[in-house]
Every structure is written in structure tokens, then in C-alpha cells.
Amino acid sequence: MALLKCDFFSELLMISTSMTVILPENTNNQIGLKNNKYDGKIPVLYLLHGLSDDHTAWTRRTSIERYAAEYGIAIVMPQVDHSFYTDMAFGKQYWTFLSEELPNVVRSFFPISDAKEDNFVAGLSMGGYGAFRWALRKPEQFTAAASLSGVMDLASHAKQKQADQNPIANVMYLAFGNRDLAGTDHDLFALLRKEEELPALYQACGTEDFLWEENEKFAQFTNEYNIPVTTSFSAGAHEWGFWDEKIQEVLAWLPLKSK
Amino acid sequence: MALLKCDFFSELLMISTSMTVILPENTNNQIGLKNNKYDGKIPVLYLLHGLSDDHTAWTRRTSIERYAAEYGIAIVMPQVDHSFYTDMAFGKQYWTFLSEELPNVVRSFFPISDAKEDNFVAGLSMGGYGAFRWALRKPEQFTAAASLSGVMDLASHAKQKQADQNPIANVMYLAFGNRDLAGTDHDLFALLRKEEELPALYQACGTEDFLWEENEKFAQFTNEYNIPVTTSFSAGAHEWGFWDEKIQEVLAWLPLKSK
Amino acid sequence: MALLKCDFFSELLMISTSMTVILPENTNNQIGLKNNKYDGKIPVLYLLHGLSDDHTAWTRRTSIERYAAEYGIAIVMPQVDHSFYTDMAFGKQYWTFLSEELPNVVRSFFPISDAKEDNFVAGLSMGGYGAFRWALRKPEQFTAAASLSGVMDLASHAKQKQADQNPIANVMYLAFGNRDLAGTDHDLFALLRKEEELPALYQACGTEDFLWEENEKFAQFTNEYNIPVTTSFSAGAHEWGFWDEKIQEVLAWLPLKSK
Amino acid sequence: MALLKCDFFSELLMISTSMTVILPENTNNQIGLKNNKYDGKIPVLYLLHGLSDDHTAWTRRTSIERYAAEYGIAIVMPQVDHSFYTDMAFGKQYWTFLSEELPNVVRSFFPISDAKEDNFVAGLSMGGYGAFRWALRKPEQFTAAASLSGVMDLASHAKQKQADQNPIANVMYLAFGNRDLAGTDHDLFALLRKEEELPALYQACGTEDFLWEENEKFAQFTNEYNIPVTTSFSAGAHEWGFWDEKIQEVLAWLPLKSK
């Protein structure tokens, strides 16, 4: 695998930014590493960070490059500040950046497939929310999406935070303002009800996670509405050891053509 | 010289961020490079980026590492988004990050001197404003400060922008809100009048720069009030060729003990 | 934790080189990460790569930064090409670089402790050999050393390879020439017999590893001579999944003062 | 422009290595930077380092990214240790890496043109030699090649060094052994006589450079044999200020289709 630290300019955000990219390599001689071959355009997993992270988080906290090597898949890790992957009420248009500019930039730099069957998205915590929202709002772009310890019930979450006076409350205010998010396209439950052809969904959460309740609620909801979701609930908290384990499950679960 | 890309966590900003750092090395064998020695704690120049840049700008657009090698000085290049180096009205506390957390982090990682005589700050455009504001608000921290094509008259600038409906206007609104900045500690003119013991100041601007008028106004003001400023005005626009040239002048001008 | 990619010049090697460095940070707000505090000079683990790797290997194939965060320890990862951490018969003086220049450079850049009780070394495969050789030849520098799937019986290994005509044989020829290494200071068994005050030693190997036999031989030898070694032998091959697991054991085993 | 630090595995060299790559971006909003557009496959300049450098040298010592931005060209900067871009007598096969593996890797990662008219090579000192040797041995691959302060008369150079007992003599011994290189394919003069359809050539050297005499000799030779070479000789020494200036000339001189 190749690891690329890519500093580029976002025309939309009007600022230099960075992404970390992993590309498969067709090699045999790397000691201690299984390496899968690929042919033609490369399938890609967009992998989204959490609230206190930037584009470096996944490579620093997990062995994502090693795990990806087995599957011949590219991994693209962008950064979106504290935005919740939204066009911020007070800040930058990270949703438009993520869903429009970023894929274009990525495809202009690297031989990444733009076929729906080769495109996947996953993320943790705030990025789990971002991954599901992206896949549910643009189901024509993705074959599968995974949320690890995701913020699933953003509307309730935001409502509760809007009453608080702490730093996280301010983060949510900058992202969403004071709107009620229930039923809007920020609300994963609303998006689920609206879409007809959904990508394959995977949802992991630890039972000691402070987001466990809203993950349980999400699972009940999808169950009730007969929306197929692969769930992986097990003992674990909101921490990187859990995500290091679950991202391996996600890669094994992805419906890659090469499998 | 050593070039360090440093990914670290800002406790204050509650997010991972990065800085680029250049450290002097006592070497002789680098072909084609003059290298000055240093003894003991290393003097440091904080070097601030402009509006559309991040921490990588100075190393990518100029030969700053090569220029610094001659002087045995460290260069610290942080990043502050579109904040104008202020505690944003709608956003993060980049002023507190810059003036308090950053120097502490830098000194905890590297053997950088905290003596006033070894500390300098410079920047371009938005960063020229940031450099002067930092030096004028914390004159006890710096011996010298330089502004290259700086936003010198922020108050007028902001007032004009507040009437506009363009992306830059929004950037300024997020940083400052709708306040009148004249006379506040965001106003370099007000800060100049207030301080008694100023660091040595250096001001460069190109006569074709769109900020030329406010730089001229600043020069007239300091002249009128007998505030000593080294000026370097010459043909040139708001572009990196100019800054690549002027940063060499700044390094030659800095009152380094080792000179 | 902070992650630093450090490009520097090696006066001895007469070439630019790089190291990856992890420094502890005293933070609380990183989501999903346990972070231990430190006081004063930072303890350090030099962590050595294997034959087909460079300075990036440990951070890319394991979660070393996350594991180190729990202990408030710095990790220094240099690179030495295919040298086996020796002054090469045909090539560069990587042993002198490693054991003399590197620690000086590291201490000139970062507030790393030079006290024996704060210095540790570990490595995998070729780097396991390098770690033990460094610790056995310079026992006054290290309190503990760990070998993961190390090349323990280099003399036999080299002798066998010298008869071959393959790429690895050439690598060993460039490093050692055609000398018989048995009994020399390249021979860990000879070094073990010679030293009196040894650092604490830790030896891990998988029972499916192609180096398992020489690791078993090493363990028998230390047993016979009553040299205390902590061993961790378990099912596993010569691959990064094993090293990702064992490096966590090593960090838990290190006799850090702060524990 | 985008700046990419690319860590990849060289199957041929059997080790992880790195390259720095600059890719054009079609943007308008970067303050202070002229940016040229490109269409379709990107033209590329392979840019080679000198003896004491690695892949980071050109970006750290010059403003190459800024200069390239004007031309919509990609820059690829590999690293080859002290090899003189040759298959070393005692060391790695860097010539084969450079001329075969590297272009394949680059084209598999990035949308770089493989058309002769879009491929260029340049370098400084040891890399000036490498650039001319590559272009003269593979004239079907390149439309133009530039040498800045190049080692032009390697055969004489090597003969003289072979009599010495200094570190550079050892470097040359490892690269070439003790052979007489005159008339071989390591000898640029021999290569010039042999080829019929040469790429456009550009040769720069400072008149205070310790390689000035052999550059003069090369110029006389090409003059005598009516081989067209664009020369740029001026006051200057063997140092990065000179190369920062001349690489701008090279970019202006390249016969890019888009010009």
C-alpha cells in the first residue's frame, strides 16, 4: 500500500486543506503484510473522523493501512473541522465540500472508480453520523455505508445541547444554529423513511458507549420499518480500541466486487 | 536544518491541528546550503499565514528553511483557519490559542528560548495583521515583529466588508461579528497609541498591492507619532514572489543576538 | 500525543534522512484516547524497523501512537535502510549513526531524558536483532530492550545466506561482507556471554514464524546461562498483526518510573 | 497546486521509500498564486536531487510548487540515496528503479501522461548527471532534459576520486566499483555521440561552481559536434540560491504543449 499525505486547495472552502489517502499497490515483497491486487479503477472507502480529530486520526489510532492492504481498496480520509459534515450555520460549507468537491478532487488526482458499486463510506462518532447522512442523502453514490459509535439521533442530541452552556453546545450551535432538526435532512430517521433504495448499512456500537441508547433506538427503528442493517453491538466504550476492531469488520463486510 | 511536520492536539481548540517547525542543526556537510550554528536555547520566529493558507504555506511558497539556515533560528508556523488570529465571534478561540497555548506547546516539545530577546513574529496579509497585533498586545513577549503586505487598517476594512455580501464579508463576520472595531484591541492604530515600549517593527508592502493604501496610511501614522518602523516599500503585488523576497529582508533585519 | 515527521540531515551519513517521533502531550479532551501525563524529561523508546521498512513502518502498521499515549513515553523511529543496524561492509555507518549521532540529534531537538532508567529500545525482525545488539553493546544506555520476531542467530543466518544467490544474500553481503560473524560483536550469543550487567530483556516470537527456531535456541541459551529474559511465545507468524499485539505487551512490560 | 508526500513500497528495491509529488489543480481562489489550468493527462517533470539530498530537497530549498503552478505541470521527486542514479556496484538498482519502476508506479497512482511530448527530466549536481543520462539512454521517453550544475564528466571525476581516500571516493566506489567509466553508458560524452534523436537539452552552471570546468568542457563538446544545447552560464556557485533561480528558467524553457 501507498500512504499519501495530500495538501490541496479547496476552491469552495477558500482555504488550503489536507487529506490522507491510502492507495493499493500490486506488490509481493513487503515483509509481514498481506497485499491484495486490483485491476482497473480502484474501489474506495471514504473514512470520516470524529469531533476532536482531523484527517490524520484513522491512520494514527488504527492500523487502517494494513487492514486495507488485504482488500485492494483505496481509503480517503478528509477533514471537516467541528462541522458535523454539514454546511455550517456559522462556518464553512463542509457538506458541499464533502459530497461534491472532494470526490471530484479525489478522482482528478487518483484513478479511483466513480461507479456506485465501488464507492463506500464509513466513519466514527460524528463521522458515523456523517457517513450515514451522506449515504442516505446520496444513495446513488454508494453501495454501502457504516457507522461506528455514530451520533444517530442528532435531532434529540442537538435539542438537548441547545439547552446547555458548554463547549460542545457551542460546536453544535455553530454547525446547526438553533433550529429544530427533527424531520429535516439532518435527521437520519427522517432520511431513512424518505429513501427507497438504500445502500447496505452497517451499524456498530459498544454497550458502554455514551451513545449506546441512541444506537439502540436507531436499531429498533430500522427493525420496525424492515430496513436491513447489519449490526455489530458488543461490550465496548467510545474509544479507539473499539474502532480499530470494528473497522476490520467493516472491511470484511463491504460488498467488494473483488471478493 | 530540520523540517518537522507536527500533528498535535490543541486542548483549547478541542481538535487535532498541525504546525510546521524548522529547527537549526549544527551541520557542515549539506551541499549547497549555508548553515549557522547556535548555542543553548534556540531563538524563534513565529511565522503567520494568510487568509487562504494553512500551516504549510510558507514552506511551500518560499525557501524559508534555506533562508533560516543562515541564521540558526527556529521557525514555527501554526494554522488558524480564517480567524484573523482572533477569538472568533462565531468560531474558535484562535487568539488565545496563538498567544497562550501555542508557545507553551512549542516550548514543551522543542528547546526554544522563552526570552523576549529571542522571540520574533512575522506574517503576511492576514498574518501581517496577526503578527503586529500579537506584538502590540504582548510587547513583553517579542523583540521584533514584521508585517508583509499586512491588513493594517482592519477597522475600516471590516466596516467596508460588513456592507458587502461576498464570501470575504462572511469570513470577517464569523471572526468579528458586526462590531465597530475602531479603537478596540483589534485596531492596530489604537494599539500603537496605547503601548509605550514597542518591539522593533518592520513593514513591507508592494505599491501594486490592493492593501497598499492602508499600508501607506499606517506608515504616515507611525511617522506622525514618531513610532520607529523600518519600512520596505517597493514595486510588487499581493503575491508570493514578493513575500519570498521580503522574508529574506526580515531575517536579515531581525536583531538576533548571534549576529 | 503529538506525531512528528522529522526530516533532518545526518552529518555522519552525509545525507538527508527522516525519523518519525511521537511525543506525549498533557491533554484531556481527545475523544476516545487515554492520555498519561508526564513530568520533566520524557522517557523514550527507540523503536526499530524490519528489513523491508523505513521510519514510517511502525506508525503505518500498528497503533503505536495510541498505545504510547497511555504511558507518557516518547517513541523515536529512525531508518537504517537494509543495514542490519551495522556499520556496513559496503555502505553507510548505520551502527554509529544509531548509537551515537541519533541520540544526540534527538536530545538536541526534543526534551528527551538521557538517563539510563528512561531509555528503552525495541524492534521487529532485523530491528529485533538491532535492539538487542544495541542494548547488549551499550548496556549503560538502556534499562530494557525488546525483540519481536528478531533475527537472533545472525551468525548462522549469515553463513547460510552467504552460500545463496538471492536478493537477501546480497543484502547481508553488503552489510557484513563474507566474514564469519560467530563470536564477533555482531553475534548476540557472544555479546550475552560478555556483558555482566544486562538491561532487562523481553523476547517475543510466534511459533509459526520462520525465525522461530533461532528464537527457541536463543531462549534455551539464556535459560542455560541463567540470563533473565521475559519471553512471550505464542501462535503467530512473521506479520504485523503479531507485532501490533506484542508491542502493547512490551509497553506494559517496560519498567517506566511513572508506573 | 497539491503537494503530496507519498510513502510507497518499491518491489524492485525491496524496501519502503518515498517521493514528493506536485499535482496541478484547477483553482482560482488561492491568494498570491498564479495557477494554470490543464486538460486531460498531466505533463510531468521528473526532478532529481543531489548527493546529500533526499526526495524532500527541491520542495525545501526552492519554491518549486509555486513555480510549477504557473505551468499546469506535475513534478515528481523520487530519492535514490548516494547512487548517482545507477544500478550500484555495491547497493541497490536505482537506475532500474528510476527508469522502469518509478514511472509505472507514478502512472498507476496519478493521471500523468506517458506521451513523450509530455515527459521531462531535470536535476542538480548528481541529479543533473542523472537527468541527462536518463534522457540520453531513453530518448524515446523525453522531449527535454535539463542539468543544473551537473556532474558532466563522470568518467574523469570517478577516475580522480578512485585515487582518493575520502568519503566521496567511497560513495563513488559503492556506485561504480573501480571500473574505468570512459566510453561506457555512464559517460555522458559517449552517450551523446551514440544517440541520433536527442531530446532538447538545457545546461546551467555557475562560473564559481567547482564543477564549472567540466560543464565548460561539456559545452565545448556539444558545440564541436553541433549538438544543440541551450546553455545558461552565469555568476554563481554550487548552492541552492542558484538552483532556485535556474529551475524557473528551466520551467520557462520546457516545450510544454500548453504554452
Side-chain angles (χ1 to χ4, degrees):
Chain A
M1 302 293 282
L3 175 66
L4 297 99
K5 198 269 183 147
C6 179
D7 300 317
F8 67 107
F9 187 77
S10 164
E11 189 82 348
L12 177 76
L13 305 177
M14 292 195 307
I15 200 160
S16 288
T17 185
S18 301
M19 60 180 159
T20 299
V21 174
I22 294 168
L23 293 178
E25 265 193 287
N26 289 335
T27 60
N28 293 310
N29 289 333
Q30 294 196 68
I31 297 171
L33 193 71
K34 270 191 281 183
N35 223 32
N36 226 46
K37 312 270 173 160
Y38 69 96
D39 269 329
K41 290 276 189 173
I42 307 170
V44 62
L45 173 65
Y46 290 88
L47 191 51
L48 308 185
H49 66 74
L51 189 69
S52 71
D53 303 328
D54 66 5
H55 72 100
T56 67
W58 276 102
T59 51
R60 290 163 69 188
R61 310 271 181 261
T62 75
S63 304
I64 182 65
E65 182 181 346
R66 173 159 57 89
Y67 307 146
E70 283 193 48
Y71 297 99
I73 191 175
I75 313 284
V76 172
M77 290 158 280
Q79 66 187 4
V80 302
D81 202 343
H82 283 163
S83 72
F84 273 81
Y85 300 88
T86 197
D87 285 349
M88 297 175 76
F90 303 94
K92 299 196 179 67
Q93 294 178 278
Y94 282 111
W95 163 252
T96 309
F97 167 71
L98 180 78
S99 62
E100 297 180 17
E101 189 182 39
L102 178 71
N104 282 335
V105 168
V106 165
R107 289 168 198 155
S108 75
F109 289 167
F110 311 111
I112 299 287
S113 171
D114 59 4
K116 178 185 169 175
E117 61 184 354
D118 294 324
N119 274 254
F120 313 98
V121 62
L124 78 96
S125 197
M126 177 182 91
Y129 167 77
F132 268 19
R133 185 171 183 243
W134 193 3
L136 294 176
R137 288 195 63 189
K138 306 267 187 182
E140 70 283 5
Q141 287 183 10
F142 295 103
T143 289
S147 164
L148 310 186
S149 314
V151 178
M152 307 312 274
D153 189 8
L154 186 77
S156 305
H157 221 86
K159 183 171 286 179
Q160 189 185 352
K161 283 290 178 297
Q162 283 158 4
D164 293 349
Q165 289 288 349
N166 61 31
I168 301 292
N170 190 45
V171 162
M172 299 204 80
Y173 174 71
L174 295 174
F176 301 108
N178 276 323
R179 282 178 296 167
D180 182 356
L181 303 177
T184 71
D185 66 15
H186 295 292
D187 178 351
L188 296 183
F189 295 89
L191 290 171
L192 272 179
R193 275 189 294 251
K194 194 176 131 206
E195 288 301 335
E196 293 183 356
E197 284 214 46
L198 295 173
L201 298 175
Y202 171 103
Q203 181 198 2
C205 193
T207 51
E208 281 75 59
D209 196 308
F210 72 94
L211 298 175
W212 168 241
E213 276 180 49
E214 58 193 88
N215 271 273
E216 221 178 359
K217 180 178 162 189
F218 188 90
Q220 283 164 357
F221 179 91
T222 52
N223 199 32
E224 213 170 291
Y225 283 80
N226 289 313
I227 299 164
V229 178
T230 301
T231 55
S232 176
F233 301 147
S234 58
H238 204 73
E239 57 88 25
W240 279 101
F242 186 80
W243 304 320
D244 186 39
E245 188 189 317
K246 294 298 178 188
I247 194 63
Q248 298 177 63
E249 283 187 20
V250 170
L251 288 167
W253 165 84
L254 287 182
L256 280 164
K257 280 183 303 181
S258 60
K259 278 181 185 170
Chain B
M1 302 294 283
L3 175 66
L4 297 100
K5 198 269 184 147
C6 177
D7 299 317
F8 67 106
F9 187 76
S10 165
E11 189 82 349
L12 177 77
L13 305 177
M14 292 194 308
I15 200 160
S16 288
T17 186
S18 301
M19 60 180 158
T20 300
V21 174
I22 294 169
L23 292 179
E25 264 193 288
N26 289 334
T27 60
N28 293 309
N29 289 334
Q30 295 197 68
I31 296 170
L33 193 71
K34 271 191 280 182
N35 224 31
N36 225 48
K37 312 271 173 159
Y38 68 96
D39 269 328
K41 290 276 188 171
I42 306 171
V44 61
L45 173 66
Y46 290 88
L47 189 54
L48 308 185
H49 66 73
L51 189 69
S52 71
D53 302 327
D54 66 5
H55 71 101
T56 68
W58 276 102
T59 51
R60 290 163 68 188
R61 310 271 182 262
T62 74
S63 304
I64 182 66
E65 183 182 347
R66 173 159 57 89
Y67 307 145
E70 284 193 47
Y71 298 98
I73 191 174
I75 313 283
V76 172
M77 290 157 281
Q79 66 187 4
V80 301
D81 203 345
H82 283 162
S83 72
F84 274 81
Y85 300 88
T86 197
D87 285 349
M88 297 175 76
F90 302 94
K92 298 196 181 65
Q93 294 178 278
Y94 282 110
W95 163 253
T96 309
F97 167 71
L98 180 77
S99 62
E100 296 180 16
E101 190 181 38
L102 178 71
N104 283 334
V105 169
V106 165
R107 288 168 199 155
S108 76
F109 289 169
F110 311 111
I112 299 287
S113 171
D114 59 3
K116 178 185 170 177
E117 61 184 356
D118 294 324
N119 274 255
F120 313 98
V121 61
L124 78 96
S125 197
M126 177 182 91
Y129 168 76
F132 267 20
R133 185 173 183 242
W134 194 2
L136 293 176
R137 287 196 65 189
K138 305 266 186 181
E140 71 282 5
Q141 287 183 11
F142 294 104
T143 290
S147 164
L148 310 186
S149 315
V151 178
M152 307 313 274
D153 189 7
L154 186 77
S156 306
H157 221 86
K159 182 170 287 179
Q160 190 185 352
K161 284 289 178 299
Q162 283 157 5
D164 292 350
Q165 289 287 349
N166 62 32
I168 301 291
N170 190 45
V171 162
M172 299 204 82
Y173 174 71
L174 294 174
F176 301 108
N178 276 324
R179 282 178 297 165
D180 182 356
L181 302 177
T184 72
D185 66 15
H186 295 291
D187 178 351
L188 297 183
F189 294 89
L191 291 171
L192 273 179
R193 274 188 295 251
K194 194 176 129 206
E195 288 301 336
E196 293 183 355
E197 284 213 46
L198 295 173
L201 299 175
Y202 172 104
Q203 182 199 2
C205 193
T207 51
E208 281 76 57
D209 195 308
F210 71 95
L211 298 176
W212 168 240
E213 276 179 50
E214 58 194 87
N215 271 274
E216 219 177 3
K217 179 179 162 189
F218 188 89
Q220 283 164 356
F221 179 91
T222 51
N223 199 31
E224 212 170 293
Y225 284 79
N226 289 313
I227 298 164
V229 178
T230 301
T231 55
S232 176
F233 300 147
S234 57
H238 204 73
E239 56 87 27
W240 279 100
F242 186 80
W243 303 320
D244 186 38
E245 188 189 317
K246 294 299 179 187
I247 195 63
Q248 298 178 62
E249 283 187 19
V250 170
L251 288 167
W253 165 83
L254 287 182
L256 280 163
K257 280 183 304 182
S258 59
K259 279 181 185 168
Chain C
M1 302 291 284
L3 175 65
L4 297 99
K5 198 268 183 148
C6 178
D7 300 316
F8 67 106
F9 187 76
S10 165
E11 188 83 348
L12 177 77
L13 305 177
M14 292 195 308
I15 200 160
S16 288
T17 186
S18 301
M19 59 180 160
T20 299
V21 174
I22 294 168
L23 293 179
E25 264 194 288
N26 290 334
T27 61
N28 293 310
N29 289 336
Q30 295 196 68
I31 296 171
L33 193 72
K34 270 188 281 183
N35 224 31
N36 226 46
K37 313 268 172 162
Y38 68 97
D39 269 329
K41 290 276 188 170
I42 307 170
V44 60
L45 173 66
Y46 290 88
L47 190 53
L48 308 185
H49 66 74
L51 190 68
S52 71
D53 303 328
D54 66 5
H55 72 100
T56 67
W58 276 101
T59 50
R60 291 163 68 187
R61 310 271 181 261
T62 75
S63 304
I64 182 66
E65 183 181 346
R66 173 161 56 91
Y67 307 145
E70 284 193 47
Y71 297 99
I73 190 174
I75 313 282
V76 172
M77 290 158 280
Q79 65 187 5
V80 302
D81 202 345
H82 282 162
S83 72
F84 274 81
Y85 299 88
T86 197
D87 285 348
M88 298 175 77
F90 301 94
K92 297 196 181 66
Q93 294 178 277
Y94 282 111
W95 163 252
T96 309
F97 167 71
L98 180 76
S99 61
E100 296 180 16
E101 189 181 38
L102 178 71
N104 282 333
V105 168
V106 165
R107 289 169 198 155
S108 76
F109 289 168
F110 312 110
I112 299 287
S113 171
D114 59 3
K116 178 184 169 175
E117 62 184 355
D118 293 325
N119 274 255
F120 312 99
V121 61
L124 77 96
S125 197
M126 177 182 90
Y129 167 76
F132 268 20
R133 185 172 183 243
W134 192 3
L136 293 176
R137 286 196 65 188
K138 305 266 186 182
E140 72 282 7
Q141 288 184 10
F142 295 104
T143 289
S147 163
L148 310 186
S149 313
V151 178
M152 307 313 273
D153 189 7
L154 185 78
S156 305
H157 221 85
K159 183 171 284 177
Q160 191 187 349
K161 283 290 178 297
Q162 283 157 6
D164 292 350
Q165 289 288 348
N166 61 32
I168 301 292
N170 190 45
V171 162
M172 298 204 81
Y173 174 71
L174 294 174
F176 301 109
N178 275 322
R179 280 179 297 165
D180 182 356
L181 302 176
T184 71
D185 66 14
H186 296 292
D187 178 351
L188 296 183
F189 294 90
L191 291 170
L192 272 179
R193 275 189 295 252
K194 195 175 131 206
E195 288 301 336
E196 293 184 355
E197 284 213 45
L198 295 173
L201 300 175
Y202 172 103
Q203 182 198 2
C205 194
T207 51
E208 281 75 59
D209 195 307
F210 71 95
L211 298 175
W212 168 241
E213 276 180 49
E214 56 194 89
N215 271 273
E216 220 177 1
K217 181 178 161 188
F218 188 89
Q220 283 164 357
F221 179 91
T222 51
N223 200 33
E224 212 170 293
Y225 284 79
N226 289 312
I227 298 165
V229 178
T230 301
T231 55
S232 177
F233 301 146
S234 58
H238 204 74
E239 57 86 26
W240 279 99
F242 186 80
W243 304 320
D244 185 38
E245 187 189 317
K246 295 299 178 186
I247 195 64
Q248 297 177 64
E249 284 187 18
V250 169
L251 288 166
W253 165 84
L254 287 182
L256 280 164
K257 279 184 304 181
S258 60
K259 279 182 186 168
Chain D
M1 302 291 284
L3 175 65
L4 297 99
K5 199 269 184 149
C6 178
D7 300 316
F8 67 107
F9 187 76
S10 165
E11 188 83 349
L12 177 77
L13 306 177
M14 292 195 307
I15 200 160
S16 289
T17 186
S18 301
M19 59 181 159
T20 300
V21 174
I22 294 167
L23 293 179
E25 264 193 288
N26 289 335
T27 60
N28 293 312
N29 289 335
Q30 295 196 68
I31 297 170
L33 193 72
K34 271 190 281 183
N35 224 31
N36 225 46
K37 312 269 172 161
Y38 68 96
D39 268 330
K41 290 277 187 172
I42 307 170
V44 61
L45 172 66
Y46 289 88
L47 190 52
L48 308 185
H49 66 73
L51 189 68
S52 70
D53 303 329
D54 66 5
H55 72 101
T56 68
W58 276 101
T59 51
R60 291 163 67 188
R61 310 270 181 262
T62 75
S63 304
I64 181 66
E65 183 181 347
R66 173 160 56 90
Y67 306 146
E70 283 193 48
Y71 297 98
I73 190 174
I75 313 282
V76 172
M77 290 157 281
Q79 66 187 5
V80 302
D81 203 345
H82 283 162
S83 72
F84 273 82
Y85 299 88
T86 197
D87 285 349
M88 297 175 77
F90 302 94
K92 298 195 181 64
Q93 294 179 278
Y94 282 111
W95 164 252
T96 309
F97 167 72
L98 179 77
S99 62
E100 297 181 15
E101 190 182 38
L102 178 71
N104 282 334
V105 169
V106 165
R107 289 168 198 154
S108 76
F109 289 169
F110 311 111
I112 298 288
S113 171
D114 59 3
K116 178 185 170 175
E117 61 184 355
D118 293 324
N119 273 254
F120 312 98
V121 61
L124 78 96
S125 196
M126 178 181 91
Y129 167 76
F132 267 21
R133 185 173 183 242
W134 193 3
L136 293 176
R137 287 196 64 187
K138 305 266 185 181
E140 71 283 5
Q141 288 184 10
F142 295 103
T143 289
S147 164
L148 310 186
S149 315
V151 177
M152 306 314 273
D153 189 7
L154 186 78
S156 305
H157 221 87
K159 183 171 284 178
Q160 190 186 351
K161 282 290 178 298
Q162 283 157 7
D164 292 350
Q165 289 288 347
N166 61 33
I168 301 294
N170 189 46
V171 162
M172 298 205 79
Y173 174 71
L174 294 174
F176 300 109
N178 276 322
R179 280 179 298 165
D180 182 355
L181 302 177
T184 71
D185 66 14
H186 295 292
D187 178 352
L188 296 183
F189 293 90
L191 291 171
L192 272 180
R193 274 188 296 251
K194 195 176 130 205
E195 288 302 336
E196 293 184 355
E197 284 214 45
L198 295 173
L201 299 176
Y202 172 103
Q203 182 198 1
C205 194
T207 51
E208 281 74 59
D209 196 307
F210 71 94
L211 298 175
W212 168 241
E213 276 180 48
E214 58 194 87
N215 271 275
E216 219 178 3
K217 180 179 161 187
F218 188 89
Q220 283 164 356
F221 179 91
T222 53
N223 199 32
E224 212 170 293
Y225 283 80
N226 290 313
I227 299 164
V229 178
T230 301
T231 54
S232 178
F233 301 146
S234 57
H238 204 74
E239 57 87 27
W240 279 100
F242 186 81
W243 304 320
D244 186 38
E245 187 190 317
K246 295 299 178 186
I247 195 64
Q248 298 177 64
E249 283 188 19
V250 170
L251 288 166
W253 165 83
L254 286 183
L256 280 164
K257 279 183 304 182
S258 59
K259 280 182 185 170

